[in-house]
Amino acid sequence: MAEPGHSLHPSARGRGRTEPRTLRLLRLLLWAGTAFQVTQGAGPELHSCKESEYHYEYTACDSTGSRWRVAVPHTPGLCTSLPDPVKGTECSFSCKAGEFLDMKDQSCKPCAEGRYSLGTGIRFDEWDELPHGFASLSTNMEIEDSTLESTENCTSSKWVPLGDYIASNTDECTATLMYAVNLKQSGTVNFEYYYPDSSIIFEFFVQNDQCQPNADDSRWMKTTEKGWEFHSVELNRGNNVLYWRTTAFSVWSKVSKPVLVRNIAITGVAYTSECFPCKPGTYADQQGSSSCKLCPANFYSNKGETSCHQCDPDKYSEKGSSTCKARPACTDKDYFYTHTACDANGETQLMYKWAQPKICGEDLEGAVKLPASGMKMSCPPCNPGFFKSNSSTCEPCPYGSYSNGSDCSHCPAGTEPAVGFEYKWWNTLPTNMETTVLSGINFEYKGMTGWEVAGDHIYSAVGASDNDFMILTLVVPGFRPPQSVMADTENKEVARITFVFETICSVNCELYFMVGVNSRTNSPVETWKGSKGKQSYTYIIEENATMSFTWAFQRTTFHETIHSLCYSDCTFSVSSPTRTFEYNFSALEKTISLAGGPSFTSKGLKYFHHFTLSLCGNQGKKMSVCTDNVTDLRIPEGESGFSKPITAYVCQAVIIPPEVTGYKAGVSSQPVSLADRLIGVTTDMTLDGITSPAELFHPESLGIPDVIFFYRSNDVTQSCSSGRSTTIRVRCSPLKPAPGSLSLPSKCSDGTCDGCNFHFLWESVAACPLCSTADYHAIVSSCVAGIQKTTYVWREPKLCSGGISLPEQRVTICKTIDFWLKVGISAGTCTAILLTVLTCYFWKKNQKLEYKYSKLVMNATLKDCDLPAADSCAIMEGEDVEDDLIFTSKKSLFGKIKSFTSKRTPDGFDSVPLKTSSGGPDMDL
């Protein structure tokens, strides 16, 4: 691994060697390299290296913490006579922020203007391309063996540089961004990230020299709700590999929003040998800068600038821009009106102001001018509970008194004031309210006013772009309900907030109302899309705590950061230690009804609880409808009536059978929503404070986990202070065809045991996971007539539905056992015959050798004795003629082998020693 800013040689292996020996070794290596280059071919003679043709690097640190500075040519083989190695700085040496290490004289020097340095760190803030040292990898998360096709489908699922940041993938592949760094001292890595979509799993972790990941719980990143978030992790000394990993699961939405990462900074490196140029849109006007400054609005800069350049009058730029844009002509949407604060005379004035920052041009063709301010008029009265002071400002009435906006009056005896805020007049923004603008592009807060006061109302102002969020926040530190309300223990209401609103939109728009408790993150309560007529909305507060109420308005919905309501596309994926289960509940997306057991009123009236369920809805649209048809039943046939329907994911109505009412049809009354919004889908029993106890239903016995849908209702009652919740436990049941069957808890026949939390069990074959290769196995037949068949069958019991189909039967050519048996018998027979022939041959050979050996022994004995000379060479009676055959020069193969054991004369005959009868010398015949 290489240190940022320079390269590292391989680690020195000669630990314990002395420095002179190391120096000699380095010189020898340089000499050998030079000699090798010179001897390559018959090229021209190499010249001495110039300073521009090489650079300096440090060797790896030895056991004593020392290292050497060596010269390395930019292109090997072009020059020779490099400078000799010299002893380098200590491995723990580092420069201050704003400085760099000059390798020539090994000293720290300040960065020049237009450049910056972190000293012991590096920063990556330009993402026009993947910076050097980073790697982007992609893999398939499937547990089963991935085919070539699935691997190729993930090759393009990588982190993509997009200028100021780098974006993750959005598909169901795993994309990993890696960076390896070697730290000579403990340091940190910090970065900014934007993570708006929980359908992507985003993790960041670090592995050390031993490939051991850090045990920090911050590995799993949390979604961001207010733009960019800052994240920092400590790094240990040594090698560290940083991983940013994302995997998308299309559970909540079809198109996931990518994770964005920017401004990655790493500290703890030993040194940096150069300063980094300021990126476009920034500048450094002083030497020794540790960071670059952003160019102000209407200014721009290029890379490595020492100052920013002003845009031409007919152009503009935002803060931190690298280019200027042409100004458009001003329109009536580029200004807004507001009321001035009341002056000492109690008068206010209608004024028009340009939306800031002003980017339009007034002098262009077709441009509008800013309207003139209106005439001064008397200030409206103060809001109820306030009075006008001598300075014409509105002040709150003292405790024990009240007002309607004019003078304060004491409460009559035996009464107490109902403390609260009532804003009827909007001459100035109240002190407990604030407004801002959240960018819909980079999700950063701008120093702009999002809402403007307008006398009797407040309205959203013009943003810099159409997809900005106009934020208005009201903070209430606590509540003081009247004593009469506090004495009512059954009433859970502490306070309520009511507001009247109207949305007028020429394009797509949304208004969000969010509530936060004790400075916690705001949670969306209600959303209105498109143009809405003037209407009122009330939210009940049941907890005496610091509350924040936020209104956010967006003209277009290119980015829905604040909108956290989700829906399910009826698909789900969950991983187990052995495999990944993929589900598709499309067969269960239609509404289904269920009636509970009969109940009776105190007077014996029988009724039923009727439930209507819509598991997934239709892209967030609730499909279950429960109606109050009591009015309809009293209207004669043929005439239209009015029904009061309730639309939800799950709703409940009271059904009175016709035999009780006397009508032709049953009566449906008191419809109630049990599930207004989908919280999530998981196999865990608890999600967002909602629990689905497993003991409410008969246990699951097939080994397939239940998939649980969690919902909440906005309806708040005295008994359900947090609203109602609903869980639908979807269970795989191969014997129940779609849509399957619904059941209620056996202990709670009405679906709930406490009146607030409802539970259902939905069993169906459509709830089984999609079939995969793990759900079937192969049966291989025996080889018959050279043919072998492979048949694929489902594993029993079959615990899957849909998905892949069984592969076709496969036929292959094979060799039967009869064939191999024949081959074996033939080979054995041939081997036996060969062994028999060889045995006979060597037995015969052995007999001849024994006979010759005995003849030799007899001849040797006769040498020592005097025997009469032979009268002739005739063959004696009983001797074998074949034993003394005289071989000619043309012999058979066995004859050649036999001749090697006998002594031959030059003429090709055997030589037999004989002794003459006279006892003279031996003669060879």
Side-chain angles (χ1 to χ4, degrees), residues 32 45 59 98 168 252 296 350 357 556 632 650 665 710 733 785 797 827:
E45 183 179 355
T59 63
S168 73
W252 315 126
L350 180 67
T556 56
D632 292 346
V650 181
F710 292 83
S733 181

Side-chain angles (χ1 to χ4, degrees), residues 867-919:
L867 296 176
D871 297 332
S872 66
C873 292
I875 298 175
M876 300 300 294
E877 185 179 356
E879 291 183 337
D880 192 353
V881 178
E882 294 179 357
D883 293 339
D884 294 329
L885 286 178
I886 298 175
F887 292 93
T888 64
S889 59
K890 187 176 180 180
K891 298 176 288 294
S892 64
L893 175 62
F894 290 151
K896 292 179 180 180
I897 297 175
K898 183 178 180 181
S899 65
F900 290 147
T901 60
S902 304
K903 184 177 179 180
R904 296 292 184 96
T905 60
D907 56 1
F909 295 96
D910 290 337
S911 177
V912 180
L914 297 176
K915 185 174 288 187
T916 61
S917 57
S918 60

Side-chain angles (χ1 to χ4, degrees), residues 307-324:
S307 62
C308 297
H309 310 287
Q310 189 171 9
C311 297
D312 295 335
D314 60 342
K315 295 183 178 181
Y316 77 98
S317 69
E318 297 181 354
K319 186 177 181 181
S321 297
S322 59
T323 57
C324 297

Side-chain angles (χ1 to χ4, degrees), residues 583-603:
Y583 294 86
N584 189 335
F585 301 118
S586 300
L588 307 179
E589 62 182 357
K590 296 182 180 180
T591 58
I592 188 172
S593 300
L594 170 67
S599 300
F600 299 88
T601 64
S602 58
K603 294 185 179 181

Side-chain angles (χ1 to χ4, degrees), residues 402-451:
Y402 71 100
S403 80
N404 59 359
S406 55
D407 297 330
C408 296
S409 303
H410 290 281
C411 295
T415 63
E416 59 178 339
V419 182
F421 294 111
E422 183 178 357
Y423 300 109
K424 297 174 60 177
W425 305 103
W426 298 89
N427 193 52
T428 58
L429 194 68
T431 56
N432 61 344
M433 299 185 75
E434 61 181 11
T435 176
T436 185
V437 176
L438 175 65
S439 171
I441 299 176
N442 57 12
F443 305 99
E444 293 180 341
Y445 286 97
K446 302 179 178 179
M448 299 173 57
T449 300
W451 294 70

Side-chain angles (χ1 to χ4, degrees), residues 488-493 542 716-722 756:
D488 187 1
T489 57
E490 295 184 359
N491 186 7
K492 301 297 183 180
E493 179 180 336
E542 298 185 349
V716 177
T717 63
Q718 294 184 357
S719 58
C720 304
S721 58
S722 300
C756 300

